[in-house]
Amino acid sequence: MKFRLPTFLLCALLVPAAVAVQLDQPAPKTQAQPPADAKRPLLWKVSDADNSVYLLGSFHLLKADDYPLPAEVDRAFDDSASLLFEIDPAAMTAPDSMAVMQKYMAYEDGKSLSTVLPKPTLDKLSTLVSAGGGSVQALEHSEPWAVSLGLVLGVTRAMGFSPELGLDRKLMARASDAGKPAAGLETVEDQMRAMDAVPYAEQAQGMDEFLSDPQKAIRQMSDMHAWWRAGDVAKLDSGMRAEMAQKTPESYRLLDVERNRAWLPQLEKRLSESKKDNTLVVVGSLHLLGSDGLVEQLKAKGYTVERICDSCRTD
């Protein structure tokens, strides 16, 4: 798999969902259909002597037939007194969040899109934008990752995916309805700063691969969704995390490794300070995979870690 933009944007960050709250139109109403395959959650339980933290791997854009959620998720939700997300739910719609996003989407070093993109990539983008009646000049002040985000949101919308149906958004609403406190592991600015730090070369690389073969990107997005839905850790790890680490190492370090390191003490604090209350932690699936993932990092610290997946036991 050579196309890494969905991994970069959909699994490492909550940014698409956060931006959608501010910019996107409401999701079209769709008729829920019976699921065509088994749904297995990416869910782990991390325990010390007196309480637990559940780790749930999210997919930030989902479809109506991804619901209802597997029973294991419902049980973890019911067993948790509070929830932790990448971003505090209150920040998702805070008035100043859009201003923070716009700040990092733009250039502060005098550059522009046409100066940071290779000409062949810029030409492909211009062709695509012109076909839709737009002009690439209107994007001159946007960084490549922000332009790519718009492309991905457009394509995934056409595929039936919606940020409003994303697992994070659904569980945020459910926590609010249940009166369970919810908080964030980082701020909107933390996420945007990480995205903004990704080298232009790696940002441009992902955009060029998307523009070169959008149909391939669509197929690969479908594959990733199917792997997530089936709870296939091996395929997600090799097709997402390992690929990103190999091909765009700086993106991987900034968006996955460094953020995991910042989150780990917060998860341990939940285990050490709360003697009986459990917490459900919902983060992008990429953050739970591989040796750099939160699952293995907590296991290495001596906590008891078990995968919660009813049907996996019979495989």
Side-chain angles (χ1 to χ4, degrees):
M1 181 191 303
K2 292 185 177 179
F3 176 58
R4 292 176 298 284
L5 194 56
T7 303
F8 178 75
L9 293 175
L10 303 181
C11 302
L13 297 176
L14 191 58
V15 169
V19 173
V21 172
Q22 303 284 349
L23 298 180
D24 232 358
Q25 297 299 314
K29 294 185 182 299
T30 55
Q31 188 80 23
Q33 299 177 358
D37 52 0
K39 290 188 285 188
R40 297 185 176 120
L42 294 169
L43 179 64
W44 286 263
K45 185 177 183 179
V46 182
S47 305
D48 63 3
D50 45 37
N51 72 320
S52 300
V53 164
Y54 292 96
L55 301 176
L56 178 61
S58 176
F59 207 81
H60 300 312
L61 309 180
L62 289 176
K63 301 182 178 183
D65 66 4
D66 288 314
Y67 297 93
L69 295 171
E72 299 95 313
V73 177
D74 292 336
R75 294 198 303 266
F77 181 91
D78 292 341
D79 192 42
S80 298
S82 62
L83 287 85
L84 267 179
F85 297 92
E86 294 184 27
I87 295 291
D88 187 328
M92 300 286 281
T93 54
D96 59 346
S97 291
M98 191 64 237
V100 172
M101 294 175 191
Q102 290 175 334
K103 168 188 171 183
Y104 285 97
M105 288 177 178
Y107 299 93
E108 293 184 341
D109 51 9
K111 297 185 183 297
S112 64
L113 191 65
S114 58
T115 64
V116 301
L117 286 182
K119 189 175 185 306
T121 304
L122 188 66
D123 290 343
K124 292 173 190 174
L125 178 63
S126 181
T127 299
L128 179 66
V129 173
S130 298
S135 169
V136 74
Q137 282 72 33
L139 304 173
E140 270 291 276
H141 300 295
S142 298
E143 293 206 3
W145 72 262
V147 177
S148 295
L149 177 58
L151 296 175
V152 169
L153 284 172
V155 168
T156 53
R157 276 278 188 198
M159 295 172 67
F161 290 96
S162 166
E164 291 85 356
L165 293 173
L167 186 60
D168 317 83
R169 295 277 294 281
K170 284 289 190 179
L171 289 175
M172 286 176 181
R174 187 170 171 182
S176 178
D177 291 343
K180 295 191 177 189
L185 289 161
E186 62 188 8
T187 66
V188 170
E189 184 150 17
D190 290 333
Q191 281 197 352
M192 301 304 288
R193 189 182 297 112
M195 182 74 87
D196 186 61
V198 171
Y200 289 137
E202 291 190 4
Q203 293 185 41
Q205 182 181 351
M207 181 189 291
D208 189 76
E209 290 169 1
F210 175 86
L211 294 169
S212 296
D213 193 350
Q215 289 302 315
K216 183 177 181 181
I218 290 171
R219 293 192 299 271
Q220 291 168 338
M221 176 67 182
S222 295
D223 286 344
M224 286 194 294
H225 174 243
W227 297 337
W228 174 84
R229 184 175 167 121
D232 195 327
V233 172
K235 287 184 178 178
L236 285 167
D237 186 54
S238 62
M240 288 175 22
R241 187 202 62 81
E243 177 76 3
M244 185 179 182
Q246 179 185 2
K247 300 297 184 180
T248 52
E250 190 63 8
S251 300
Y252 179 69
R253 182 185 70 81
L254 289 164
L255 301 179
D256 189 68
V257 177
E258 293 300 326
R259 293 169 72 213
N260 285 352
R261 287 175 179 167
W263 296 349
L264 195 59
Q266 300 181 63
L267 303 185
E268 290 193 89
K269 186 176 181 181
R270 290 280 174 143
L271 289 165
S272 64
E273 291 190 353
S274 177
K275 299 304 181 183
K276 58 182 179 179
D277 292 337
N278 298 334
T279 303
L280 175 59
V281 180
V282 186
V283 295
S285 300
L286 186 68
H287 294 287
L288 304 184
L289 305 176
S291 60
D292 296 315
L294 295 171
V295 171
E296 291 300 322
Q297 291 291 319
L298 286 164
K299 190 180 297 184
K301 287 180 171 289
Y303 295 101
T304 300
V305 180
E306 60 178 319
R307 174 107 186 250
I308 306 297
C309 177
D310 295 345
S311 60
C312 294
R313 297 168 189 163
T314 61
D315 287 352

